Amino acid sequence: SNRSYTNNVEAYQLFLRGKLHASRLILPELQKGIAFYEQAVAIDPRYALAYAELSNAYRAMVLTNDAPSVEMMPRAGAAAARAAELDPNLADAWIALGSSEFWYEWDWPAAEKAFLRAIEIDDSNSAAHAYYAHLLSNTARHEEAIAEIRRARELDQLSLFIHILEGQILSLAGRDDESLQKLRSTIDLDPEFWLAHLFIARTYINKGMLNEAIASAGKAKEITMGNSEATGTLGYVLAKSGRADEAKRILSDL
């Protein structure tokens, strides 16, 4: 269906600029991305795909930039619902809806239903498989999760996000050595992708490699200029290493 796209050249260009900025997942870039998406839907209020991406960007403000969830998550949910209303056959709309159910409502069955609907609409959508894999992993269905994330990777070999998610899923499945291998190779591709450093820190913690974990969590904190999850992970591993004073300093920073 063409309703997910726009015939308005200006709206389309704003959408592309939004995507370029929002994909970087750090605060000023996400804010720019949101501004471009909002302009795109102002020009074409029926632009379903722009609403779906706007939903993802609002959610990323919370997940990666500590924006208040009570402020941003309802906006994310509303934009996703608008996308699905405008085009019920847009896989990206269902991915956005499922992500809101997953991250904000914590309604696993509803999230699963939405992700499966996205896959049914477009089995070649890598994000649909990746987000479904995330849900499966978080609900301890590890073998299914590994199969789904591998399908996502086959569909999009270049996505750093899919690579690191595979690393996390392997770790949660108890396969830490494979997780390390995966995450190290992703960091080689882009040393500035902060989530890779956060995820590898967790795998190092599992393996008792605390010095490596401190370095990796510290790198994630540095790249993001103090993301709370990176900071909290660093504090945790410092405390675990017996460096209580440094850990307490981080606690007061948080």
Side-chain angles (χ1 to χ4, degrees), residues 86-106:
L86 287 167
D87 187 353
N89 293 313
L90 177 63
D92 292 274
W94 289 98
I95 295 167
L97 271 174
S99 298
S100 278
E101 296 289 359
F102 180 38
W103 286 109
Y104 188 55
E105 306 295 344
W106 294 11

Side-chain angles (χ1 to χ4, degrees), residues 210-215 234-250:
L210 300 185
N211 290 334
E212 289 84 349
I214 288 168
L234 178 60
Y236 168 78
V237 71
L238 285 167
K240 209 172 159 64
S241 305
R243 291 160 67 174
D245 291 344
E246 290 166 85
K248 280 175 187 156
R249 271 206 297 280
I250 283 187

Side-chain angles (χ1 to χ4, degrees), residues 114-137:
F115 293 143
L116 287 171
R117 179 81 187 98
I119 289 167
E120 187 190 345
I121 292 167
D122 180 8
D123 186 49
S124 67
N125 186 309
S126 61
H129 291 281
Y131 285 104
Y132 185 39
H134 201 329
L135 174 72
L136 289 165
S137 175

